Amino acid sequence: MRQTALIHSPRFAEYDLGPSHPLRPIRVSRAHELMRACGLLEHDHVSLATPSSADEETLALIHDRDYIEAVRAPGEGRALKRPLDYGLGTVDNPIVAGMYEAMTVVAGASLLAADLVIDGKASVAFNPSGGLHHAHRARAAGFCIFNDPALAIAHIVERCGEGVKVVYLDIDAHHGDGVQEAFYHRRDVLTISLHESGRYLFPGTGDVEEIGEGEGEGFSVNLPLSPYTNDEVYLWAFREAVVPLLEAFQPDFVCTQLGVDTHYQDPLTHLCLTTQGYLSIVNEIAPRAPKWVAMGGGGYDVTVVPRAWTLAFARMMEVDPPELIPESEAHHYPATNEGPLTLHDSAGPKIDEDWARLAREFAETSVREIKQRIFPFHDLPTGS
Ligand SMILES: [Zn+2]
């Protein structure tokens, strides 16, 4: 069993963007409660850790000073002249009270996860509140203000020194654009994002042609997928394109964004995975990530996210979770006609045959392109 840390703070709930905003803090608090109810937090090899806020010096590893200042200003009673220049004050990123404080705690949580793993106090540390992968150097986007995955990676590189190799692996349904951007010119950080194609989904980027630039050429990997991609196709693509890269790169640290908006019930996206498929991906990652900094991410169905992250956390810990949702939490999950409530999905998506075929062909094209464009940089056979 692995020495595992779970990062938690009641302050995660402070990043509340309003009742109609999809990024509801309840996603994270219910996940924590479900993990607790399942008995996962009672194991000797699990520790709970409470984050403190990221300081400005650390935020500046990734973000511009004037942007950090812009995020802080409204809370200190200073009006922003041009908030939209910073992506603030939009429907996705409204300016809310306590925004700076809440976001620096989330960033601090991913930094703490990184520190615990660097210091050997845990071999895997999970910050479910993190994974805010769309934040840019000087602009908020897609519900994200500070880019905690990029900060955690920059912090690992800073603490461990030159020569340390980090993989960033992003299985959220949206392209991990902000993290890719931060390391686009570097070869010590290999970024890999699997996502619904930008043709159909925000942020519109993440095409296979985006492979990095200069020194970083061949070290940004994008695997776009079509709407209605199911477990089988996703896993096939992951094993064909991602697993060989993980094994060839031999990272010292693996940082994952474990968004679960790939789920077939997710209201914002069109991929069609189940919790079984999601867990299979986590199963592929776990043995290849001896030093693992895990972060949450998207996922907007509150009856799905807590179950998926509880299953993922149990896998990180290397214990078997209970099959059933404990009685104390069951009222949060919809009853089915198919028997008792389970942590895993009890049903799956129904996908039209034509769409299923198109999804497979789309994945095959993406995988082929990755093999041709990326594999040569890693001495892997292109398969053609
Ligand atoms: Zn997402």
Side-chain angles (χ1 to χ4, degrees):
M1 285 185 284
R2 292 179 80 158
Q3 202 61 42
T4 309
L6 181 66
I7 319 296
H8 184 68
S9 166
R11 299 194 59 198
F12 291 157
E14 292 170 18
Y15 189 45
D16 190 345
L17 301 174
S20 58
H21 196 287
L23 193 79
R24 297 167 64 194
I26 205 171
R27 304 155 59 252
V28 174
S29 53
R30 279 208 187 139
H32 188 81
E33 287 317 311
L34 188 55
M35 291 172 197
R36 180 186 299 284
C38 289
L40 298 182
L41 309 188
E42 289 157 20
H43 288 261
D44 288 342
H45 64 296
V46 172
S47 58
L48 264 185
T50 308
S52 47
S53 306
D55 59 32
E56 193 181 323
E57 281 312 301
T58 310
L59 295 175
L61 286 172
I62 291 295
H63 297 287
D64 287 352
R65 298 271 180 180
D66 66 331
Y67 173 66
I68 299 169
E69 174 55 26
V71 178
R72 183 165 29 206
E76 295 178 352
R78 281 171 285 126
L80 272 180
K81 282 203 190 81
R82 297 169 62 87
L84 294 176
D85 288 358
Y86 300 106
L88 297 167
T90 62
V91 175
D92 277 3
N93 289 96
I95 295 174
V96 295
M99 172 171 78
Y100 182 82
E101 289 70 21
M103 288 324 304
T104 49
V105 172
V106 170
S110 290
L111 293 162
L112 174 59
D115 278 329
L116 292 170
V117 175
I118 294 168
D119 293 333
K121 292 183 179 141
S123 80
V124 49
F126 184 26
N127 169 24
S129 75
L132 302 177
H133 58 171
H134 297 305
H136 301 280
R137 174 164 286 279
R139 186 166 53 85
F143 320 157
C144 307
I145 291 179
F146 293 132
N147 196 316
D148 63 284
L151 286 163
I153 295 165
H155 182 66
I156 291 169
V157 173
E158 191 186 46
R159 274 203 61 195
C160 299
E162 296 294 313
V164 71
K165 291 194 293 180
V166 184
V167 157
Y168 172 69
L169 175 55
D170 185 325
I171 62 168
D172 192 279
H174 300 88
H175 176 221
D177 56 343
V179 185
Q180 171 177 297
E181 225 168 80
F183 304 103
Y184 206 57
H185 296 265
R186 292 171 62 152
R187 59 194 299 124
D188 54 342
V189 179
L190 172 67
T191 66
I192 304 171
S193 178
L194 299 91
H195 44 263
E196 183 174 335
S197 165
R199 290 183 211 169
Y200 306 98
L201 196 68
F202 176 90
T205 49
D207 222 333
V208 271
E209 288 102 63
E210 297 166 29
I211 64 164
E213 278 173 7
E215 276 283 290
E217 193 180 358
F219 292 81
S220 287
V221 184
N222 287 291
L223 204 168
L225 296 159
S226 149
Y228 310 110
T229 296
N230 64 12
D231 289 347
E232 188 200 341
V233 170
Y234 192 110
L235 264 166
W236 172 83
F238 191 95
R239 288 180 180 138
E240 281 291 310
V242 177
V243 167
L245 286 168
L246 287 178
E247 293 184 343
F249 187 70
Q250 298 197 329
D252 300 298
F253 292 86
V254 174
C255 298
T256 55
Q257 202 272 21
L258 300 176
V260 63
D261 43 7
T262 47
H263 192 271
Y264 76 97
Q265 287 176 353
D266 196 89
L268 299 194
T269 70
H270 318 98
L271 300 181
C272 281
L273 270 60
T274 63
T275 57
Q276 286 85 349
Y278 178 79
L279 188 64
S280 301
I281 306 158
V282 175
N283 278 332
E284 292 287 334
I285 297 169
R288 298 178 174 95
K291 291 183 183 175
W292 184 3
V293 178
M295 290 158 275
Y300 303 98
D301 182 325
V302 294
T303 70
V304 169
V305 177
R307 293 190 289 115
W309 286 350
T310 298
L311 290 162
F313 188 61
R315 178 62 186 85
M316 291 173 201
M317 294 170 58
E318 298 178 343
V319 302
D320 292 323
E323 191 188 333
L324 301 182
I325 294 176
E327 194 96 16
S328 61
E329 289 295 299
H331 60 286
H332 293 312
Y333 302 88
T336 67
N337 299 325
E338 293 160 41
L341 287 172
T342 51
L343 273 185
H344 267 302
D345 293 342
S346 52
K350 308 233 180 318
I351 304 169
D352 175 84
E353 261 180 44
D354 285 342
W355 270 108
R357 184 175 45 77
L358 285 172
R360 171 168 284 284
E361 287 169 6
F362 199 107
E364 284 169 356
T365 304
S366 292
V367 165
R368 192 166 55 241
E369 293 265 320
I370 288 173
K371 288 186 177 180
Q372 283 168 2
R373 290 169 191 269
I374 302 278
F375 276 24
F377 290 96
H378 301 268
D379 296 325
L380 288 165
T382 58
S384 60

